[in-house]
Amino acid sequence: MKYSLSEAAKATGKNKTTIQRAIKNGKISASKGDRGAYEIDPAELHRVFPLTVAQPDAQHRQSNDAQQVEFAHNNSHLNRVVELEKELAVAHERANGLEDQKDQMADTISDLRKRLDSSEGRVMALLADNKPKRSSWWPWRRS
């Protein structure tokens, strides 16, 4: 069952605007229902905001505090895993980009080698060209 915005606020002890701001900033993912109201998955909500429940006596509060500490500890590990997965995805994208760049450079090198081979023949033809020397058109320089 998904939370509405007001149910999510009650479950976390936060204000509705705080939950809405977290949705708009992308900290929590939520979809809008048919009526246009937010539908928030409880696991997604409690990933960012821990669950708060009113406890009547001190023993339950201490137990809840210990659970929240454990939850925060587990949550920090989950956040670290998410960060590492993002870093891994970025590294894979970068590796793919570098692979594409390497392939493009190899194609460029191949193309340049072909051009060099074809121009080498033209250069040799120009060097071997034994055209007779033109005489000057200046009358005093004719020999």
Side-chain angles (χ1 to χ4, degrees):
M1 179 182 136
K2 295 192 175 196
Y3 287 141
S4 68
L5 193 60
S6 59
E7 290 170 341
K10 286 178 187 176
T12 59
K14 302 290 182 187
N15 196 332
K16 287 194 303 187
T17 55
T18 303
I19 305 294
Q20 190 172 18
R21 191 177 317 119
I23 292 169
K24 287 186 179 181
N25 290 337
K27 292 180 181 176
I28 300 173
S29 63
S31 59
K32 287 199 173 185
D34 296 335
R35 294 180 169 177
Y38 283 113
E39 294 178 347
I40 306 164
D41 186 57
E44 181 69 18
L45 176 69
H46 298 306
R47 179 181 60 82
V48 178
F49 299 110
L51 179 66
T52 58
V53 178
Q55 298 292 335
D57 58 12
Q59 184 181 8
H60 288 281
R61 281 191 203 121
Q62 289 174 351
S63 171
N64 192 23
D65 289 343
Q67 288 174 352
Q68 284 183 351
V69 167
E70 182 180 341
F71 179 77
H73 183 69
N74 290 340
N75 195 19
S76 68
H77 287 304
L78 290 175
N79 288 338
R80 181 65 180 148
V81 168
V82 169
E83 288 174 16
L84 291 172
E85 286 175 346
K86 287 179 183 178
E87 288 179 22
L88 182 62
V90 168
H92 282 299
E93 288 179 23
R94 187 172 183 205
N96 290 338
L98 290 174
E99 187 70 28
D100 292 343
Q101 187 178 9
K102 182 191 83 151
D103 292 342
Q104 184 181 7
M105 287 185 168
D107 292 343
T108 302
I109 289 171
S110 175
D111 182 53
L112 290 174
R113 284 187 177 147
K114 288 177 186 175
R115 288 183 185 189
L116 180 64
D117 291 342
S118 67
S119 65
E120 190 174 303
R122 284 186 273 157
V123 168
M124 294 305 286
L126 288 173
L127 289 176
D129 194 15
N130 293 329
K131 289 185 180 177
K133 190 174 180 184
R134 267 182 52 188
S135 61
S136 175
W137 61 272
W138 297 97
W140 59 85
R141 294 197 60 198
R142 288 187 183 172
S143 42

